[in-house]
């Protein structure tokens, strides 16, 4: 059976993926499949820069507004409906166009990644330990049991530390043994474009974006969502976490600074993740002819005569 042809646009937050996808999709007969770990939640609109209703009316989008934010969506749970969407789009003679910056969610869709088991009781016990002792101490526990996993997980990332220890508790084997992340053999006929731009320009765009989110009511949105029930995953989303963790009396400027700092750290992790994927052809997001070049790439896959645009800031 011939693999389904899939196009994808990936890259760091704020680099312009959504805008370019909206321009390209009509030209290649595509529907967009979001590979964003937060846009899948209903009501998380401002802080995730979710495509507007008018944009979704213009180009069909999938995997947006699927779950309530109180639900703990896992990457393995995301995998099935995302692949179903890809299959449905292709069955109607359309082109699936994956768009997003959540690296593991992207790879869960396009690659043969399989995920280790889960246990609610084990996870809850570890989450209580995390709340009591903090992520640093839990990270030390992970380092003692699986040094390789600990080396690949930041000591501040409590969610991933808990997941690694959960797998170790259930299986009795190192979490790092479950990492099949170096196999870049897609289950689809995949063409991936990565967008990049110089860091100073990207950081300036992020600052403007955060200002716009705050002006649009991010603080009120985050607090309303928390009152209605936020799961741990949703609460950790950029912007929402900084709003909800702000000390009493914190002003908008302080919250803005915290969001910007966290977003810059996240961008660096995104770039590092995507840089490890040899299939991604990197393009300068500032290139005037970018839409035409990507349209040509996704239509004809002419890598030999259509080299990636490499400029300042490209990985």
């Amino acid at each position: 059976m011939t693999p389904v042809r899939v196009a994808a646009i990936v890259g760091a937050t704020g680099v312009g993926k959504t805008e370019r996808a909206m321009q390209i999709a009509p030209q290649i007969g595509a529907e967009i499949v979001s590979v964003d770990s937060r846009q899948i939640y209903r009501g998380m609109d401002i802080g995730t820069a979710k495509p507007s209703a008018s944009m979704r009316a213009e180009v069909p989008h999938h995997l947006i507004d699927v779950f309530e934010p109180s639900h703990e969506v896992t990457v393995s749970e995301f995998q099935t409906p995302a692949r179903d969407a890809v299959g449905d789009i292709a069955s109607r003679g359309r082109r699936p166009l994956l768009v997003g910056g959540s690296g593991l969610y992207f790879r869960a869709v396009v690659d043969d990644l399989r995920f280790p088991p889960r246990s609610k009781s084990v996870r809850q016990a570890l989450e209580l330990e995390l709340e009591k002792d903090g992520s640093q101490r839990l990270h030390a526990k992970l380092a003692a049991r699986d040094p390789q996993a600990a080396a690949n997980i930041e000591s501040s990332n409590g969610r991933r530390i808990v997941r690694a220890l959960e797998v170790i508790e259930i299986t009795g084997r190192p979490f790092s043994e479950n990492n099949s992340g170096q196999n870049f053999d897609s289950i689809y006929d995949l063409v991936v474009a990565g967008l990049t731009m110089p860091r100073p320009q990207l950081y300036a765009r992020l600052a403007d974006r955060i200002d716009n989110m705050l002006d649009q009511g991010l603080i009120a949105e985050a607090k309303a969502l928390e009152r209605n029930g936020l799961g741990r995953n949703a609460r950790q989303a950029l912007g929402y976490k900084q709003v909800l963790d702000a000390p009493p009396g914190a002003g908008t400027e302080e919250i803005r600074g915290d969001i910007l700092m966290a977003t810059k750290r996240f961008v660096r992790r995104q770039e590092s993740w995507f840089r490890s994927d040899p299939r991604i052809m990197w393009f300068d997001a500032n290139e005037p002819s970018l839409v035409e070049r990507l349209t040509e790439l996704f239509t004809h896959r002419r890598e030999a005569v259509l080299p990636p645009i490499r400029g300042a800031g490209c990985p």
Side-chain angles (χ1 to χ4, degrees):
M1 182 181 294
T2 303
V4 172
R5 296 181 66 204
V6 172
I9 299 175
V10 300
T13 294
V15 80
K17 299 182 295 295
T18 298
E19 176 187 358
R20 296 308 189 186
M22 287 295 299
Q23 294 170 319
I24 293 166
Q27 300 188 51
I28 64 172
E31 297 181 15
I32 292 173
V33 179
S34 170
V35 284
D36 186 293
S37 63
R38 308 308 189 198
Q39 291 184 356
I40 197 169
Y41 290 114
R42 300 185 189 102
M44 297 181 68
D45 301 327
I46 298 172
T48 65
K50 192 176 290 180
S52 65
S54 61
M55 293 169 72
R56 284 181 267 173
E58 181 180 346
V59 175
H61 283 63
H62 303 261
L63 274 294
I64 291 179
D65 290 341
V66 177
F67 296 100
E68 293 298 328
S70 57
H71 181 67
E72 296 284 344
V73 179
T74 65
V75 66
S76 57
E77 187 176 10
F78 177 91
Q79 186 181 59
T80 298
R83 288 181 175 176
D84 288 346
V86 168
D88 172 64
I89 295 166
S91 73
R92 292 184 280 105
R94 305 282 288 169
R95 187 80 176 272
L97 174 59
L98 276 54
V99 181
S102 298
L104 183 57
Y105 282 65
F106 164 69
R107 294 215 45 216
V109 179
V110 302
D111 293 336
D112 186 23
L113 296 192
R114 303 176 188 184
F115 300 95
R118 292 182 173 272
S119 167
K120 185 176 181 180
S121 61
V122 171
R123 185 173 66 255
Q124 287 178 338
L126 288 166
E127 288 173 346
L128 287 173
E129 192 174 342
L130 174 65
E131 187 175 343
K132 177 185 175 184
D133 298 332
S135 64
Q136 300 288 338
R137 184 169 295 183
L138 215 60
H139 190 266
K141 180 177 178 178
L142 176 61
R145 302 189 66 177
D146 187 348
Q148 183 178 342
N152 292 325
I153 299 175
E154 292 188 359
S155 60
S156 60
N157 194 332
R159 183 177 62 82
R160 288 197 65 203
I161 296 168
V162 164
R163 176 58 176 149
L165 288 169
E166 177 191 10
V167 172
I168 294 170
E169 289 287 343
I170 296 170
T171 65
R173 304 185 65 82
F175 177 73
S176 53
E177 288 187 359
N178 293 282
N179 182 11
S180 58
Q182 297 309 308
N183 179 12
F184 293 102
D185 186 15
S186 178
I187 63 175
Y188 302 116
D189 178 7
L190 178 69
V191 181
V192 192
L195 302 188
T196 186
M197 65 175 53
R199 280 270 179 85
Q201 180 188 1
L202 179 57
Y203 287 170
R205 284 170 58 94
L206 291 173
D208 289 342
R209 183 179 187 175
I210 292 166
D211 287 339
N212 290 333
M213 289 177 175
L214 290 167
D215 290 343
Q216 292 168 23
L218 173 61
I219 293 174
E221 180 179 83
K223 291 181 176 179
L225 286 166
E226 185 175 51
R227 286 194 297 270
N228 293 327
L230 271 180
R232 182 181 295 272
N233 287 357
R235 199 185 188 284
Q236 295 301 309
L238 280 172
Y240 298 93
K241 175 177 171 58
Q242 287 70 39
V243 169
L244 299 175
D245 286 352
T252 301
E253 277 303 308
E254 181 179 348
I255 293 172
R256 175 190 183 276
D258 290 342
I259 297 172
L260 182 57
M261 186 182 304
T263 305
K264 289 179 179 180
R265 288 197 299 267
F266 181 59
V267 161
R268 291 192 289 270
R269 292 198 300 272
Q270 286 178 300
E271 290 178 342
S272 177
W273 175 282
F274 286 122
R275 194 177 297 123
S276 69
D277 191 333
R279 298 168 298 189
I280 300 175
M281 290 169 277
W282 290 98
F283 294 83
D284 185 344
N286 296 308
E287 168 61 39
S289 61
L290 178 62
V291 172
E292 291 77 11
R293 285 177 174 260
L294 292 185
T295 299
E296 181 76 3
L297 174 67
F298 292 148
T299 302
H300 300 296
R301 193 169 184 159
R302 292 169 54 195
E303 295 95 332
V305 296
L306 185 70
I309 307 165
R310 293 197 173 273
C314 291

